[in-house]
Structure formats: structure tokens, C-alpha cells
Amino acid sequence: MTHTKQIFTGLVAGLALAAVTLPAIAHHSTNGIYDQAVEVELSGKVKAWKFINPHPSLTLTVVDEKGEAHDWDVSYGGSAVAHLKRRGYGADTFKPGDELKVKGHPALVKEAYGLLMEGGNPTHADGTPWALTPPAR
């Protein structure tokens, strides 16, 4: 194979790899969606918990200071079911009506009522840790 052909083949392979990986990276990015400079704590009741791929979904009904209820979409930052299972989550972790506290970064669009949880886990309304049972190793 000539040197020019090797360079061309390497260039094509590199472009093909970029074409496949960049959309996946962009899909899981939270840049421009959440305000990473602000952390808030929300207290509310579970409306729905869907432990499904590609991303589990927690909806928390939170009553604001005006007495108005808003449904917040609590994101685990692109974590799939397998990631959360390793941390002790399961399909029956939360039930409608459970009272939780969550901390995270709010959506940049305030009317979106979205929250990105990073690192920590929800707690009970009184602040005690939510009992999660990681699988035995």
C-alpha cells in the first residue's frame, strides 16, 4: 500500500469513527440544559418512577412558595438502568406519594421544571438517607 493510500485510509477511518461517536457524546451531554453554577434542593411527592432504559425517569410534584404544584423531571444525568442498579436502585425504589428531597442543578429554562441530580441520592423528607440496596458482589 502506498503512503498516500495509507494516509487516505486512516483519514477515512478517523472520520467514520468521529461520525459514530460524536452524536453519542452530544446525546448524553447536559451542557446548555442545566445551570451548573446553581444547586437547589427540592422537597416533594413522587408522581412517577419509571425504571426503564434508555434513562430512568423520576417525576416529583413540588409545591412552590405560592402554593402552586409543579411536576419536576428529575434526571440522573444520562444514567441507564444498569448504572442505577449498581447503586441499589430498582423498579420498586419509589412509589407514588413517597416524600423525597433531591439536590441538583435546575434547568436553565425555569418553566421546564427540570433538575439534574449529580452524585448524591434522594433522601426522605426529614433528610434521612433513602435505603438503597446495591447488589451483592
Side-chain angles (χ1 to χ4, degrees), residues 21 37 40 50 54 57 72 76 88-91 97 105 110 116-118 130 133 136:
T21 57
V40 297
K50 297 177 183 168
S57 168
W72 282 74
Y76 283 82
Y89 288 86
H105 305 289
K110 301 301 178 209
L116 173 65
M117 272 190 26
E118 287 190 323
W130 200 266
T133 309

PDB file of all heavy atoms in Angstrom, residues 21 37 40 50 54 57 72 76 88-91 97 105 110 116-118 130 133 136:
ATOM      1  N   THR A  21     -19.166   8.447  17.007  1.00  0.00           N
ATOM      2  CA  THR A  21     -19.052   8.776  18.432  1.00  0.00           C
ATOM      3  C   THR A  21     -19.573  10.160  18.798  1.00  0.00           C
ATOM      4  O   THR A  21     -20.122  10.332  19.882  1.00  0.00           O
ATOM      5  CB  THR A  21     -17.599   8.659  18.904  1.00  0.00           C
ATOM      6  OG1 THR A  21     -16.778   9.517  18.114  1.00  0.00           O
ATOM      7  CG2 THR A  21     -17.110   7.244  18.845  1.00  0.00           C
ATOM      8  N   ALA A  37     -23.971  26.227  37.710  1.00  0.00           N
ATOM      9  CA  ALA A  37     -23.480  27.147  38.736  1.00  0.00           C
ATOM     10  C   ALA A  37     -24.438  27.247  39.925  1.00  0.00           C
ATOM     11  O   ALA A  37     -24.095  27.842  40.939  1.00  0.00           O
ATOM     12  CB  ALA A  37     -23.271  28.533  38.125  1.00  0.00           C
ATOM     13  N   VAL A  40     -29.920  23.530  43.847  1.00  0.00           N
ATOM     14  CA  VAL A  40     -31.146  23.730  44.616  1.00  0.00           C
ATOM     15  C   VAL A  40     -31.539  22.423  45.286  1.00  0.00           C
ATOM     16  O   VAL A  40     -31.089  21.344  44.884  1.00  0.00           O
ATOM     17  CB  VAL A  40     -32.319  24.232  43.730  1.00  0.00           C
ATOM     18  CG1 VAL A  40     -31.996  25.586  43.134  1.00  0.00           C
ATOM     19  CG2 VAL A  40     -32.668  23.229  42.647  1.00  0.00           C
ATOM     20  N   LYS A  50     -40.146   5.593  36.673  1.00  0.00           N
ATOM     21  CA  LYS A  50     -40.071   4.625  35.583  1.00  0.00           C
ATOM     22  C   LYS A  50     -38.635   4.146  35.487  1.00  0.00           C
ATOM     23  O   LYS A  50     -37.745   4.892  35.089  1.00  0.00           O
ATOM     24  CB  LYS A  50     -40.529   5.266  34.275  1.00  0.00           C
ATOM     25  CG  LYS A  50     -41.979   5.693  34.316  1.00  0.00           C
ATOM     26  CD  LYS A  50     -42.382   6.379  33.038  1.00  0.00           C
ATOM     27  CE  LYS A  50     -43.818   6.850  33.158  1.00  0.00           C
ATOM     28  NZ  LYS A  50     -44.186   7.750  32.075  1.00  0.00           N
ATOM     29  N   PRO A  54     -33.997   4.018  27.799  1.00  0.00           N
ATOM     30  CA  PRO A  54     -32.576   4.300  27.960  1.00  0.00           C
ATOM     31  C   PRO A  54     -32.244   5.081  29.226  1.00  0.00           C
ATOM     32  O   PRO A  54     -31.129   5.041  29.691  1.00  0.00           O
ATOM     33  CB  PRO A  54     -32.231   5.112  26.720  1.00  0.00           C
ATOM     34  CG  PRO A  54     -33.480   5.826  26.373  1.00  0.00           C
ATOM     35  CD  PRO A  54     -34.588   4.876  26.753  1.00  0.00           C
ATOM     36  N   SER A  57     -36.699   7.533  34.848  1.00  0.00           N
ATOM     37  CA  SER A  57     -37.345   8.830  34.976  1.00  0.00           C
ATOM     38  C   SER A  57     -38.063   8.952  36.313  1.00  0.00           C
ATOM     39  O   SER A  57     -38.852   8.087  36.689  1.00  0.00           O
ATOM     40  CB  SER A  57     -38.357   8.974  33.827  1.00  0.00           C
ATOM     41  OG  SER A  57     -39.206  10.061  34.035  1.00  0.00           O
ATOM     42  N   TRP A  72     -41.746  18.191  38.508  1.00  0.00           N
ATOM     43  CA  TRP A  72     -40.333  18.332  38.151  1.00  0.00           C
ATOM     44  C   TRP A  72     -39.835  17.010  37.575  1.00  0.00           C
ATOM     45  O   TRP A  72     -40.076  15.940  38.139  1.00  0.00           O
ATOM     46  CB  TRP A  72     -39.500  18.681  39.376  1.00  0.00           C
ATOM     47  CG  TRP A  72     -39.606  20.124  39.783  1.00  0.00           C
ATOM     48  CD1 TRP A  72     -40.667  20.734  40.391  1.00  0.00           C
ATOM     49  CD2 TRP A  72     -38.614  21.120  39.605  1.00  0.00           C
ATOM     50  NE1 TRP A  72     -40.393  22.050  40.604  1.00  0.00           N
ATOM     51  CE2 TRP A  72     -39.138  22.328  40.132  1.00  0.00           C
ATOM     52  CE3 TRP A  72     -37.341  21.123  39.048  1.00  0.00           C
ATOM     53  CZ2 TRP A  72     -38.420  23.515  40.119  1.00  0.00           C
ATOM     54  CZ3 TRP A  72     -36.615  22.307  39.046  1.00  0.00           C
ATOM     55  CH2 TRP A  72     -37.156  23.487  39.573  1.00  0.00           C
ATOM     56  N   TYR A  76     -31.112  11.727  36.137  1.00  0.00           N
ATOM     57  CA  TYR A  76     -29.909  11.130  36.714  1.00  0.00           C
ATOM     58  C   TYR A  76     -28.711  11.307  35.785  1.00  0.00           C
ATOM     59  O   TYR A  76     -27.769  10.533  35.829  1.00  0.00           O
ATOM     60  CB  TYR A  76     -30.156   9.656  37.031  1.00  0.00           C
ATOM     61  CG  TYR A  76     -30.972   9.458  38.284  1.00  0.00           C
ATOM     62  CD1 TYR A  76     -32.352   9.550  38.258  1.00  0.00           C
ATOM     63  CD2 TYR A  76     -30.353   9.208  39.498  1.00  0.00           C
ATOM     64  CE1 TYR A  76     -33.108   9.388  39.414  1.00  0.00           C
ATOM     65  CE2 TYR A  76     -31.093   9.052  40.658  1.00  0.00           C
ATOM     66  CZ  TYR A  76     -32.469   9.144  40.607  1.00  0.00           C
ATOM     67  OH  TYR A  76     -33.201   8.995  41.748  1.00  0.00           O
ATOM     68  N   GLY A  88     -27.992   0.475  43.708  1.00  0.00           N
ATOM     69  CA  GLY A  88     -29.035  -0.028  44.595  1.00  0.00           C
ATOM     70  C   GLY A  88     -30.453   0.325  44.211  1.00  0.00           C
ATOM     71  O   GLY A  88     -31.392  -0.002  44.933  1.00  0.00           O
ATOM     72  N   TYR A  89     -30.640   1.008  43.092  1.00  0.00           N
ATOM     73  CA  TYR A  89     -31.987   1.351  42.641  1.00  0.00           C
ATOM     74  C   TYR A  89     -32.659   0.145  41.991  1.00  0.00           C
ATOM     75  O   TYR A  89     -31.990  -0.739  41.460  1.00  0.00           O
ATOM     76  CB  TYR A  89     -31.938   2.479  41.599  1.00  0.00           C
ATOM     77  CG  TYR A  89     -31.602   3.832  42.161  1.00  0.00           C
ATOM     78  CD1 TYR A  89     -30.281   4.224  42.334  1.00  0.00           C
ATOM     79  CD2 TYR A  89     -32.603   4.727  42.506  1.00  0.00           C
ATOM     80  CE1 TYR A  89     -29.963   5.472  42.840  1.00  0.00           C
ATOM     81  CE2 TYR A  89     -32.300   5.981  43.007  1.00  0.00           C
ATOM     82  CZ  TYR A  89     -30.975   6.349  43.169  1.00  0.00           C
ATOM     83  OH  TYR A  89     -30.667   7.584  43.670  1.00  0.00           O
ATOM     84  N   GLY A  90     -33.986   0.138  42.021  1.00  0.00           N
ATOM     85  CA  GLY A  90     -34.757  -0.908  41.358  1.00  0.00           C
ATOM     86  C   GLY A  90     -36.106  -0.350  40.921  1.00  0.00           C
ATOM     87  O   GLY A  90     -36.438   0.808  41.187  1.00  0.00           O
ATOM     88  N   ALA A  91     -36.888  -1.197  40.277  1.00  0.00           N
ATOM     89  CA  ALA A  91     -38.192  -0.777  39.764  1.00  0.00           C
ATOM     90  C   ALA A  91     -39.130  -0.345  40.874  1.00  0.00           C
ATOM     91  O   ALA A  91     -40.030   0.467  40.659  1.00  0.00           O
ATOM     92  CB  ALA A  91     -38.808  -1.903  38.948  1.00  0.00           C
ATOM     93  N   GLY A  97     -46.502   9.025  45.827  1.00  0.00           N
ATOM     94  CA  GLY A  97     -46.818   9.512  47.167  1.00  0.00           C
ATOM     95  C   GLY A  97     -45.633   9.551  48.115  1.00  0.00           C
ATOM     96  O   GLY A  97     -45.682  10.238  49.142  1.00  0.00           O
ATOM     97  N   HIS A 105     -28.956  20.527  39.967  1.00  0.00           N
ATOM     98  CA  HIS A 105     -28.868  21.742  39.164  1.00  0.00           C
ATOM     99  C   HIS A 105     -30.168  21.928  38.384  1.00  0.00           C
ATOM    100  O   HIS A 105     -30.586  21.022  37.662  1.00  0.00           O
ATOM    101  CB  HIS A 105     -27.689  21.646  38.202  1.00  0.00           C
ATOM    102  CG  HIS A 105     -26.389  21.356  38.905  1.00  0.00           C
ATOM    103  ND1 HIS A 105     -25.741  22.273  39.695  1.00  0.00           N
ATOM    104  CD2 HIS A 105     -25.640  20.226  38.962  1.00  0.00           C
ATOM    105  CE1 HIS A 105     -24.655  21.742  40.195  1.00  0.00           C
ATOM    106  NE2 HIS A 105     -24.558  20.496  39.773  1.00  0.00           N
ATOM    107  N   LYS A 110     -36.496  27.996  33.264  1.00  0.00           N
ATOM    108  CA  LYS A 110     -37.179  27.798  34.552  1.00  0.00           C
ATOM    109  C   LYS A 110     -38.536  27.117  34.399  1.00  0.00           C
ATOM    110  O   LYS A 110     -38.927  26.314  35.232  1.00  0.00           O
ATOM    111  CB  LYS A 110     -37.357  29.137  35.275  1.00  0.00           C
ATOM    112  CG  LYS A 110     -36.052  29.859  35.556  1.00  0.00           C
ATOM    113  CD  LYS A 110     -35.109  29.042  36.406  1.00  0.00           C
ATOM    114  CE  LYS A 110     -33.804  29.778  36.626  1.00  0.00           C
ATOM    115  NZ  LYS A 110     -32.678  28.914  36.822  1.00  0.00           N
ATOM    116  N   LEU A 116     -31.145  18.246  37.385  1.00  0.00           N
ATOM    117  CA  LEU A 116     -30.093  17.258  37.158  1.00  0.00           C
ATOM    118  C   LEU A 116     -29.477  16.892  38.498  1.00  0.00           C
ATOM    119  O   LEU A 116     -28.838  17.714  39.143  1.00  0.00           O
ATOM    120  CB  LEU A 116     -29.020  17.829  36.230  1.00  0.00           C
ATOM    121  CG  LEU A 116     -27.771  16.973  36.040  1.00  0.00           C
ATOM    122  CD1 LEU A 116     -28.117  15.663  35.338  1.00  0.00           C
ATOM    123  CD2 LEU A 116     -26.716  17.739  35.261  1.00  0.00           C
ATOM    124  N   MET A 117     -29.713  15.635  38.923  1.00  0.00           N
ATOM    125  CA  MET A 117     -29.075  15.138  40.146  1.00  0.00           C
ATOM    126  C   MET A 117     -27.687  14.644  39.778  1.00  0.00           C
ATOM    127  O   MET A 117     -27.532  13.912  38.811  1.00  0.00           O
ATOM    128  CB  MET A 117     -29.872  13.979  40.734  1.00  0.00           C
ATOM    129  CG  MET A 117     -30.933  14.426  41.672  1.00  0.00           C
ATOM    130  SD  MET A 117     -31.716  13.109  42.615  1.00  0.00           S
ATOM    131  CE  MET A 117     -30.549  11.814  42.728  1.00  0.00           C
ATOM    132  N   GLU A 118     -26.712  15.035  40.563  1.00  0.00           N
ATOM    133  CA  GLU A 118     -25.357  14.551  40.321  1.00  0.00           C
ATOM    134  C   GLU A 118     -24.766  14.027  41.614  1.00  0.00           C
ATOM    135  O   GLU A 118     -24.740  14.737  42.613  1.00  0.00           O
ATOM    136  CB  GLU A 118     -24.477  15.651  39.746  1.00  0.00           C
ATOM    137  CG  GLU A 118     -24.791  15.964  38.308  1.00  0.00           C
ATOM    138  CD  GLU A 118     -23.763  16.877  37.688  1.00  0.00           C
ATOM    139  OE1 GLU A 118     -23.256  17.783  38.364  1.00  0.00           O
ATOM    140  OE2 GLU A 118     -23.491  16.688  36.509  1.00  0.00           O
ATOM    141  N   TRP A 130     -32.253   7.621  51.802  1.00  0.00           N
ATOM    142  CA  TRP A 130     -33.179   6.663  51.211  1.00  0.00           C
ATOM    143  C   TRP A 130     -32.457   5.329  51.183  1.00  0.00           C
ATOM    144  O   TRP A 130     -31.314   5.240  50.741  1.00  0.00           O
ATOM    145  CB  TRP A 130     -33.551   7.102  49.798  1.00  0.00           C
ATOM    146  CG  TRP A 130     -34.815   6.449  49.341  1.00  0.00           C
ATOM    147  CD1 TRP A 130     -34.920   5.291  48.618  1.00  0.00           C
ATOM    148  CD2 TRP A 130     -36.142   6.874  49.601  1.00  0.00           C
ATOM    149  NE1 TRP A 130     -36.231   4.993  48.398  1.00  0.00           N
ATOM    150  CE2 TRP A 130     -37.014   5.941  49.008  1.00  0.00           C
ATOM    151  CE3 TRP A 130     -36.695   7.951  50.281  1.00  0.00           C
ATOM    152  CZ2 TRP A 130     -38.396   6.058  49.071  1.00  0.00           C
ATOM    153  CZ3 TRP A 130     -38.052   8.073  50.349  1.00  0.00           C
ATOM    154  CH2 TRP A 130     -38.903   7.120  49.738  1.00  0.00           C
ATOM    155  N   THR A 133     -30.265  -0.660  48.127  1.00  0.00           N
ATOM    156  CA  THR A 133     -29.553  -1.908  48.369  1.00  0.00           C
ATOM    157  C   THR A 133     -28.771  -2.328  47.133  1.00  0.00           C
ATOM    158  O   THR A 133     -29.331  -2.936  46.226  1.00  0.00           O
ATOM    159  CB  THR A 133     -30.547  -3.024  48.755  1.00  0.00           C
ATOM    160  OG1 THR A 133     -31.382  -2.550  49.812  1.00  0.00           O
ATOM    161  CG2 THR A 133     -29.814  -4.267  49.213  1.00  0.00           C
ATOM    162  N   ALA A 136     -25.205  -7.684  45.796  1.00  0.00           N
ATOM    163  CA  ALA A 136     -24.044  -8.343  46.411  1.00  0.00           C
ATOM    164  C   ALA A 136     -23.013  -8.640  45.342  1.00  0.00           C
ATOM    165  O   ALA A 136     -23.331  -8.963  44.219  1.00  0.00           O
ATOM    166  CB  ALA A 136     -24.480  -9.626  47.104  1.00  0.00           C
TER     167      ALA A 136
END
